[in-house]
Amino acid sequence: MTTAKPFPATSPLPADFQLPDPPDNPDDKMTNFDQMAATGGAHHLRQHLGNLDTTLVAGERYVVIRPTRGMAGSHYPDLLVAFDVNPAAYRARNGYIIPEQGKPPDFVLEVASPNTAETDVTDKRVDYAALLIPEYWRFDETGQHHGTRLAGDRLVDGEYVAIDVEEFPDGSFQGYSGVLNLYLRWEDGQLEWIDPATGEHIASFDSERARADAERAGRLQERDRADDAEARANVAEARIRQLEEKLRRQDR
């Protein structure tokens, strides 16, 4: 992975300065919602990566070296991940200002939509490389906008080099992010995060609910077994008392 070079110092911004909100496009927001919010994907990723005080998992806010008039040429990725940064500063600035964070984001991802597809595969690829972002990924639910369902680039000597993406017999696609130490998977039109250590999806609402249900069922089974054992012990104790009483009668 290419080590990010320091960016030139810029004039300090006012303490209360905030970047503007990105343009509002309902179609783009709905696409992003389907892949990030509705499935809880960003939340699950945040919990998996941990270190919430220094790891930023966010999106749909500008990433810039310095603010410009009208923010022309600036981008706001659907998802970004940055390690060893200040998430509170990101929230206060309403975006990611690279010199203030001390480094570019480590990972960005764009979800395809009809309005952004062309720039996702052209301008953004050039511009994110210029910002020295180590990995840039693209996810396309249908494969009709980016021309491929899943694609990733890794920064090598200042330029992006394509990351291998494997297609499986079931029609899913998967590529490895060295930055996140996770596989990204296109599966039935959904973005999935796979832990290479287990080959399983990272913990999600559904998997945690299933785990809790399994633990609850296990406790109930254990309780039932304990109840059965106690009932058998009570029967045995009653039988012993009957035998003892019978023996006492015989001795009289």
Side-chain angles (χ1 to χ4, degrees):
M1 182 179 69
T2 300
T3 302
K5 301 175 183 178
F7 287 89
T10 58
S11 301
L13 296 169
D16 60 351
F17 173 82
Q18 286 191 328
L19 291 166
D21 289 334
D24 187 18
N25 190 310
D27 292 338
D28 295 345
K29 285 185 177 294
M30 183 57 66
T31 302
N32 189 26
F33 176 83
D34 288 343
Q35 295 298 332
M36 299 295 175
T39 64
H43 171 79
H44 304 149
L45 183 61
R46 185 181 298 113
Q47 297 303 311
H48 177 82
L49 295 174
N51 300 318
L52 300 184
D53 291 337
T54 59
T55 298
L56 176 64
V57 179
E60 296 186 317
R61 293 291 181 269
Y62 283 111
V63 177
V64 298
I65 297 176
R66 63 181 65 82
T68 59
R69 184 182 298 275
M71 304 302 291
S74 299
H75 304 299
Y76 40 97
D78 292 318
L79 178 70
L80 72 81
V81 178
F83 300 104
D84 301 318
V85 295
N86 185 347
Y90 174 87
R91 292 188 290 270
R93 292 300 197 190
N94 195 40
Y96 196 103
I97 301 177
I98 292 174
E100 291 192 347
Q101 293 287 359
K103 53 175 285 191
D106 295 283
F107 172 104
V108 295
L109 177 141
E110 298 285 5
V111 177
S113 73
N115 297 309
T116 65
E118 183 176 354
T119 58
D120 287 349
V121 299
T122 56
D123 296 348
K124 290 179 185 178
R125 193 171 185 271
V126 173
D127 294 341
Y128 287 149
L131 293 177
L132 302 181
I133 296 173
E135 284 189 6
Y136 171 39
W137 287 81
R138 296 168 297 286
F139 179 88
D140 187 341
E141 179 180 345
T142 64
Q144 297 175 356
H145 304 304
H146 287 163
T148 184
R149 290 173 170 82
L150 180 67
D153 289 300
R154 181 177 296 113
L155 194 67
V156 178
D157 296 329
E159 296 184 356
Y160 278 139
V161 175
I163 296 172
D164 291 336
V165 173
E166 183 179 3
E167 182 177 4
F168 296 108
D170 64 0
S172 62
F173 294 80
Q174 180 171 289
Y176 177 70
S177 167
V179 166
L180 302 183
N181 188 29
L182 289 172
Y183 287 108
L184 279 75
R185 181 179 293 177
W186 184 102
E187 187 172 8
D188 295 327
Q190 292 295 318
L191 174 62
E192 307 288 352
W193 308 95
I194 308 298
D195 186 345
T198 64
E200 302 292 335
H201 295 74
I202 64 173
S204 66
F205 296 137
D206 290 340
S207 67
E208 288 300 291
R209 184 181 300 110
R211 182 182 62 81
D213 289 344
E215 290 179 353
R216 187 181 303 109
R219 289 194 299 269
L220 291 173
Q221 289 177 354
E222 187 63 30
R223 188 181 68 185
D224 289 343
R225 284 194 292 268
D227 290 344
D228 289 344
E230 183 178 2
R232 288 194 298 270
N234 290 337
V235 170
E237 185 177 351
R239 179 59 177 163
I240 290 172
R241 287 198 299 268
Q242 289 174 354
L243 291 172
E244 289 175 342
E245 181 63 25
K246 183 177 181 180
L247 287 172
R248 280 196 296 270
R249 292 198 194 101
Q250 292 175 350
D251 292 340
R252 291 175 184 171

